[in-house]
Amino acid sequence: MHQDIQEMTTAPQIAALYDRTIGIGLLRGPPADEAEAGFETVLPEPFVAALPSAPSAHPLAAQRAVPLAQLADSPFVSLPREAGPQPHDRITGLCVAAGSGPRVVQRAAEWRTVCALVETGLGAGLLSTTGENSPVGHRRDMP
C-alpha cells in the first residue's frame, strides 16, 4: 500500500474522494449538502474567539473570556465558504445565534492566514480549538 499525505481544503477533498484520487479525507465536519459520502466524527471541534495579542488592537483583547455576542460589532476575518463550507457555515451560524451575522472585512482560505490577519488587528475571528498552535496572540473561551 502506498500512502501519500496531501494538505487540502474541504471542497478539493470532497472532489478527490468522488473521483477516487484519494481514499480518505479529514474534514472539519460533514458538509450538509454531501449526503452520498460516508462521514464519521473523529474529534469534536469547538471554537474560541481569536483576538490580537496587543490590547490596543482590539477593545476585547484584555478579557479572559469573550461571549460571542460581544464580538457582534467587530470586523471579522473568516474563511471563504468555498474553502470550507462546514466551518464557514458553523462560524456564521454561531454568530447569527449570538445575535448578529459576522461583519466580514477579509477572507482567507487557510486558518494560519486568518490568524495572521487577526494578529495584525484587522479584525477578530473564530478559531477551532484544533488550531491552538496557530500564531494568534489571544484565544478566548466563549462562555
Side-chain angles (χ1 to χ4, degrees), residues 69-89:
Q70 287 186 347
L71 293 173
D73 294 328
S74 293
F76 254 77
V77 179
S78 191
L79 298 171
R81 189 169 196 285
E82 57 274 8
Q86 195 278 341
H88 174 274
D89 292 352

Side-chain angles (χ1 to χ4, degrees), residues 5-76:
I5 298 172
Q6 300 175 31
E7 184 176 16
M8 303 168 90
T9 58
T10 301
Q13 277 189 74
I14 290 175
L17 285 165
Y18 280 119
D19 69 18
R20 299 182 186 265
T21 306
I22 63 174
I24 190 169
L26 293 174
L27 310 173
R28 286 193 153 91
D33 56 352
E34 292 295 334
E36 291 181 35
F39 294 96
E40 293 285 331
T41 299
V42 176
L43 177 70
E45 190 172 45
F47 283 87
V48 293
L51 298 167
S53 54
S56 61
H58 195 282
L60 301 174
Q63 290 185 209
R64 294 197 96 171
V66 177
L68 188 52
Q70 287 186 347
L71 293 173
D73 294 328
S74 293
F76 254 77

Side-chain angles (χ1 to χ4, degrees), residues 28 41 43-49 86-87 90-91 94 111 126-132 139-142:
R28 286 193 153 91
T41 299
L43 177 70
E45 190 172 45
F47 283 87
V48 293
Q86 195 278 341
R90 214 166 136 215
I91 289 168
L94 287 168
W111 287 107
L126 294 186
L127 178 66
S128 69
T129 54
T130 57
E132 285 296 323
R139 291 167 203 84
R140 295 294 183 234
D141 290 330
M142 296 184 303

Side-chain angles (χ1 to χ4, degrees), residues 82-120:
E82 57 274 8
Q86 195 278 341
H88 174 274
D89 292 352
R90 214 166 136 215
I91 289 168
T92 300
L94 287 168
C95 291
V96 168
S100 175
R103 187 169 57 91
V104 177
V105 296
Q106 183 66 50
R107 297 189 188 281
E110 299 293 334
W111 287 107
R112 285 192 162 283
T113 307
V114 170
C115 291
L117 292 170
V118 165
E119 187 57 29
T120 69

